[in-house]
Amino acid sequence: MERSITMPVYRSNDPHKSFLRMSNHSTRNKELSLKAKGLLAVLMDLPPTWQHSIAGLSKIMPDGQDSIRSAMNELERAGYVERSRKNGSNGRTYVEYNIYEMPKDIMFGTSNTGESPACVEVSDIGKSCV
């Protein structure tokens, strides 16, 4: 019989620290790898003016471009990231990323699963709604 061990969680109470606030949808999603969950948290923490790119992310994280690309692909398949090719004014194409706190179809209620917008069944915890 496996015994459950409780572990203390220490949190900062300093209001002057910078905090990231986001839905726990991704952390409870058993379909996402730990790497994808961590990347989503980093993406959500970046300023809105930050130009998202695999090369740019590899400069602020120790992971290589291949590792970041695979996590981005996983997030895209799960609906947390949407990317599209755009034509720049200089004639070059670039990739534009839209980052979602939870999958786009759940967030905006376009899912065909019968779930209410922003609700999902997550593991043994039950239904999570935002």
Side-chain angles (χ1 to χ4, degrees), residues 77-89:
R77 284 189 304 274
Y80 293 90
V81 170
E82 179 180 66
R83 63 181 145 184
S84 55
R85 288 220 174 267
K86 301 285 183 176
N87 293 318
S89 58

Side-chain angles (χ1 to χ4, degrees), residues 9-128:
V9 176
Y10 298 96
R11 300 181 190 271
S12 170
N13 290 324
D14 187 347
H16 303 290
K17 297 277 185 194
S18 179
F19 290 95
L20 169 65
R21 184 174 173 188
M22 63 185 275
S23 168
N24 60 7
H25 185 280
S26 63
T27 60
R28 293 182 179 178
N29 185 337
K30 291 180 97 173
E31 305 281 316
L32 285 182
S33 70
L34 184 59
K35 179 169 66 172
K37 291 174 184 187
L39 179 59
L40 182 60
V42 169
L43 294 171
M44 295 296 296
D45 190 44
L46 291 170
T49 56
W50 202 79
Q51 298 294 312
H52 295 86
S53 71
I54 303 295
L57 288 167
S58 71
K59 290 181 179 165
I60 63 169
M61 292 194 265
D63 301 73
Q65 290 188 24
D66 290 341
S67 177
I68 294 167
R69 186 176 293 105
S70 72
M72 286 290 267
N73 288 338
E74 183 180 346
L75 290 171
E76 185 176 15
R77 284 189 304 274
Y80 293 90
V81 170
E82 179 180 66
R83 63 181 145 184
S84 55
R85 288 220 174 267
K86 301 285 183 176
N87 293 318
S89 58
N90 60 0
R92 298 180 76 188
T93 61
Y94 64 96
V95 176
E96 180 179 273
Y97 290 92
N98 293 322
I99 313 299
Y100 299 95
E101 195 169 2
M102 61 183 73
K104 181 182 175 183
D105 61 345
I106 294 173
M107 198 165 184
F108 294 109
T110 58
S111 174
N112 294 326
T113 64
E115 292 285 350
S116 302
C119 290
V120 68
E121 191 73 30
V122 282
S123 69
D124 324 339
I125 300 170
K127 190 175 282 191
S128 173

